[in-house]
Amino acid sequence: AQTVTQSQPEMSVQEAETVTLSCTYDTSENNYYLFWYKQPPSRQMILVIRQEAYKQQNATENRFSVNFQKAAKSFSLKISDSQLGDTAMYFCAFALLTGNQFYFGTGTSLTVIP
Amino acid sequence: DAGITQSPRHKVTETGTPVTLRCHQTENHRYMYWYRQDPGHGLRLIHYSYGVKDTDKGEVSDGYSVSRSKTEDFLLTLESATSSQTSVYFCAISESMGLAGGHSSYNEQFFGPGTRLTVL
C-alpha cells in the first residue's frame, strides 16, 4: 500500500520569508511521480510542482522548489519570498506509473502573515 | 484551465434520499476520478474510471456507485445518502501514464471546482 504523510497540519510564515512544508511517503515501487497541489480558499486544486522519481535534479517552478530525497522517501516544498496569495492548503500527492491512482496527504494549511 | 465542470455545485438533501453528482469534461481525457475531501483526511479516492464503462473502486467506495457511459461524463451516485457523506466532492481527470523513450510520460490530474454536499 502507498501512503503519504504530511506531519504539519498548520504553518505560518511572514510575508517575503521562506517556508518549507514536509512530506514523506511510503512505497516499495521505484517508478512514480510526486506532486504538490495548492488549494486556496476558492477550493480550486492547483498543481504547484511535480517531480519524476527517476530524476535526481530537484524540480523548481519560480518561487517554489522541492527537496526530493528518494532514499529517505521525503519530498518537501520550499516557498521563497512568500506572498499573501500563497495562503492556502497544500497537499502532497504520489502516483505510481503502474495503475492510475493518486494518493494524497492530509494537507498543510499555510498562512502568510503580512 | 482544463475543461471540467461539476454539477450541482451545492446541494442539501435529507438522509435516505438518492443523490447523483455529475462531472463533465471537454478534454477527452481517459481517466476520471471522484474524491471526497474532509478535514483531517485530505482527499480520498471514491471511484475512478479508466474508460467508458470501465470503473474501479477506491479507498472509500462503500455507499457510492459510479457510471461512465460516455468519455466526457462520470456520474457519482449516493444510493441512500447518510450524514457521514456530508463532504466536498471533487472530480478529476488525467491522461494516460506510460513510458516514452525509456522514461515515464505523464500528465497530472486536473480538478473540477468541487461540489459541497450536505446531508441532513
Side-chain angles (χ1 to χ4, degrees):
Chain A
Q2 333 300 322
T3 59
V4 179
T5 302
Q6 294 179 250
S7 59
Q8 306 152 313
E10 295 181 358
M11 295 189 71
S12 61
V13 62
Q14 290 291 138
E15 192 175 7
E17 297 292 306
T18 296
V19 64
T20 299
L21 280 58
S22 301
C23 174
T24 58
Y25 58 95
D26 189 25
T27 183
S28 58
E29 300 289 332
N30 197 46
N31 293 315
Y32 49 87
Y33 283 84
L34 293 159
F35 306 85
W36 278 99
Y37 279 88
K38 169 185 177 181
Q39 187 182 41
S42 67
R43 234 169 45 195
Q44 183 66 48
M45 293 284 286
I46 303 164
L47 179 68
V48 175
I49 199 166
R50 72 177 181 188
Q51 174 81 42
E52 291 89 340
Y54 70 86
K55 290 185 177 179
Q56 293 185 344
Q57 186 174 5
N58 289 324
T60 299
E61 288 288 342
N62 300 315
R63 297 182 295 107
F64 299 88
S65 61
V66 299
N67 183 3
F68 173 47
Q69 301 290 328
K70 190 172 184 179
K73 296 179 182 176
S74 171
F75 183 61
S76 61
L77 174 69
K78 185 172 80 171
I79 306 174
S80 304
D81 186 25
S82 296
Q83 300 175 0
L84 297 179
D86 295 334
T87 292
M89 182 75 81
Y90 288 82
F91 291 98
C92 178
F94 167 97
L96 291 172
L97 253 62
T98 56
N100 294 284
Q101 295 191 38
F102 278 62
Y103 302 88
F104 285 84
T106 53
T108 295
S109 177
L110 176 68
T111 301
V112 179
I113 303 167
Chain B
D1 291 341
I4 312 170
T5 57
Q6 292 183 229
S7 58
R9 293 293 311 279
H10 300 87
K11 186 172 182 65
V12 179
T13 191
E14 294 187 349
T15 298
T17 60
V19 176
T20 296
L21 308 182
R22 180 181 183 236
C23 177
H24 179 77
Q25 62 148 328
T26 58
E27 305 296 320
N28 201 36
H29 280 7
R30 178 181 177 188
Y31 297 94
M32 299 186 75
Y33 308 79
W34 277 107
Y35 293 91
R36 60 177 291 173
Q37 182 179 15
D38 305 288
H41 292 277
L43 277 81
R44 293 181 291 175
L45 182 65
I46 305 171
H47 283 278
Y48 69 102
S49 170
Y50 45 95
V52 173
K53 298 185 180 179
D54 291 325
T55 64
D56 206 348
K57 296 179 179 180
E59 178 188 1
V60 290
S61 60
D62 287 349
Y64 301 95
S65 63
V66 290
S67 66
R68 191 170 179 198
S69 58
K70 297 184 290 185
T71 299
E72 57 267 34
D73 289 325
F74 192 34
L75 303 181
L76 176 71
T77 297
L78 290 65
E79 303 289 348
S80 177
T82 67
S83 58
S84 65
Q85 293 175 313
T86 292
S87 186
V88 178
Y89 291 85
F90 284 96
C91 175
I93 65 173
S94 70
E95 198 36 81
S96 301
M97 289 188 281
L99 292 175
H103 292 299
S104 54
S105 173
Y106 181 73
N107 285 337
E108 76 270 16
Q109 287 194 338
F110 300 94
F111 285 82
T115 293
R116 180 175 294 278
L117 176 67
T118 302
V119 183
L120 302 175

